[in-house]
Amino acid sequence: MGKDMLLGDPRKIKSHKQRERKLFGIGMLYLFPALILLGVFLFYPMFKTLYFSFFEVSGGGKVGEFVGWGHYKELMQSSDFKKSMKGTLLFVLYTVPVEIILALFLAVIASEKLKGIGFFRTIFASTLGVSVAAGATIFLFLFHPSLGVLNNILDMFGIDAVDWLTSSKWALPSIAATTVWMHLGINFIILLGGIQNVQRELYESADIDGAGYFAKLFKITIPLISPVLFFVTIIAIIGSFQTFGQIDILTGGGPAGSTNIIVYSIYQQAFSYGNFGFASAQAIILFVIILIVTIVQFRVGEKRVHYQ
């Protein structure tokens, strides 16, 4: 009835609209600093990259001849780009499932009420405080062909040394292992937080019903943290597509381009060869791929998510 009176009184309608405009203005005023930052550091570079992808751009950023879809056509015909895309997809497949499963395993263990578990939680999350450069340097020593710990362990069992970073067969899995270790801390913390937010009463009810440990894990814990798993999966995929630092330090895209995933290829084209237009076209393709993968995840994966 109050709504009908509002609709029938022109003065009240005008006053209501004025209040809405005022609230909208106040909201935009609060958002203005964030919008400025997003515009300068996100939207402007994105549109500039799209613009560059249609031109020949020199190393100094000078825009030259308009080439239209030329860079994109060249990429579709480039064997190096196809190899880079294949390596990128393999890298994502190597890293994301292992990251999620390992982080979930550690989070489940760390959620148990055991003596000294706080120490292990700190150890599991410690990679969060290690920079990419420091983490990659650690693995550079681990993978060293003669002095590395891994090859020394293999030697103890009479197994021949492996060229972890100089073999096309092992370089990409080695980078993937480094990336899993680096991403483990943040995934572990997020999943542990999700597990600890599950209501204890549900486990108590399951105990009364005689449910075992694995029944509670797969019937209560995992379904109820599915929104967290969904979120972690998205950021893990995006993070894997955008991996750069460890590749630059450990292999430099080699050997024979086996670790030259698309982000590193963009870097090389832009800053090593000065082909900013060509690099911009690759960046746009990467953006579209990540966008499609994310949309598919929301369309397909979210249907399996159980919100409390």
Side-chain angles (χ1 to χ4, degrees):
M1 183 175 178
K3 188 176 179 180
D4 294 338
M5 291 177 63
L6 178 64
L7 292 173
D9 191 335
R11 288 176 299 177
K12 290 184 178 180
I13 293 173
K14 184 178 179 180
S15 176
H16 179 69
K17 289 182 177 179
Q18 287 177 341
R19 284 198 301 271
E20 285 187 337
R21 284 195 292 266
K22 184 179 179 180
L23 288 172
F24 177 78
I26 293 172
M28 292 303 296
L29 186 63
Y30 281 111
L31 286 173
F32 185 72
L35 292 175
I36 291 294
L37 289 173
L38 287 172
V40 173
F41 295 106
L42 179 63
F43 299 124
Y44 174 74
M46 184 173 67
F47 288 116
K48 195 73 172 181
T49 300
L50 180 63
Y51 174 74
F52 276 175
S53 70
F54 295 109
F55 290 86
E56 290 288 354
V57 184
S58 66
K62 184 178 180 180
V63 178
E65 180 186 357
F66 175 75
V67 296
W69 297 99
H71 291 314
Y72 295 95
K73 292 178 181 177
E74 188 177 348
L75 282 172
M76 293 301 103
Q77 297 169 358
S78 170
S79 59
D80 289 338
F81 179 72
K82 291 176 182 177
K83 184 176 181 180
S84 177
M85 283 302 307
K86 180 182 177 182
T88 303
L89 295 175
L90 284 174
F91 182 77
V92 172
L93 290 175
Y94 289 160
T95 54
V96 173
V98 179
E99 283 181 26
I100 304 302
I101 293 171
L102 187 56
L104 178 60
F105 173 73
L106 295 178
V108 170
I109 293 175
S111 65
E112 298 295 327
K113 294 180 180 179
L114 301 173
K115 187 177 181 180
I117 197 66
F119 170 76
F120 289 100
R121 288 175 183 172
T122 304
I123 295 299
F124 296 156
S126 61
T127 60
L128 186 61
V130 179
S131 68
V132 173
T137 304
I138 291 170
F139 276 84
L140 189 62
F141 286 105
L142 289 175
F143 291 135
H144 194 279
S146 58
L147 302 175
V149 174
L150 294 178
N151 277 343
N152 285 331
I153 293 174
L154 293 178
D155 185 60
M156 290 172 57
F157 292 95
I159 302 174
D160 293 336
V162 175
D163 296 326
W164 299 104
L165 300 176
T166 55
S167 166
S168 298
K169 178 182 177 181
W170 289 103
L172 192 63
S174 299
I175 297 292
T178 307
T179 304
V180 168
W181 182 82
M182 290 180 178
H183 292 177
L184 189 60
I186 182 63
N187 293 332
F188 165 76
I189 289 175
I190 295 172
L191 290 171
L192 179 61
I195 292 174
Q196 291 183 331
N197 281 329
V198 177
Q199 297 177 3
R200 299 295 102 185
E201 292 82 358
L202 296 173
Y203 295 113
E204 293 171 2
S205 299
D207 288 332
I208 294 172
D209 293 336
Y213 178 82
F214 289 103
K216 289 186 289 185
L217 177 62
F218 290 103
K219 297 293 184 181
I220 298 176
T221 305
I222 292 179
L224 291 182
I225 66 166
S226 55
V228 182
L229 278 169
F230 180 66
F231 170 74
V232 168
T233 303
I234 290 176
I235 64 171
I237 290 176
I238 293 174
S240 293
F241 271 111
Q242 295 179 337
T243 298
F244 171 79
Q246 50 269 47
I247 293 175
D248 187 42
I249 293 171
L250 294 176
T251 63
S258 59
T259 61
N260 190 31
I261 67 173
I262 189 167
V263 169
Y264 196 77
S265 177
I266 292 169
Y267 165 77
Q268 281 190 320
Q269 289 294 333
F271 300 105
S272 297
Y273 309 140
N275 298 329
F276 280 86
F278 197 66
S280 297
Q282 290 189 71
I284 294 299
I285 290 176
L286 176 61
F287 167 77
V288 171
I289 291 172
I290 294 176
L291 180 64
I292 291 172
V293 170
T294 305
I295 291 172
V296 169
Q297 277 188 287
F298 272 97
R299 290 289 180 88
V300 178
E302 198 173 22
K303 294 179 181 179
R304 301 176 181 271
V305 173
H306 174 78
Y307 292 102
Q308 297 186 49

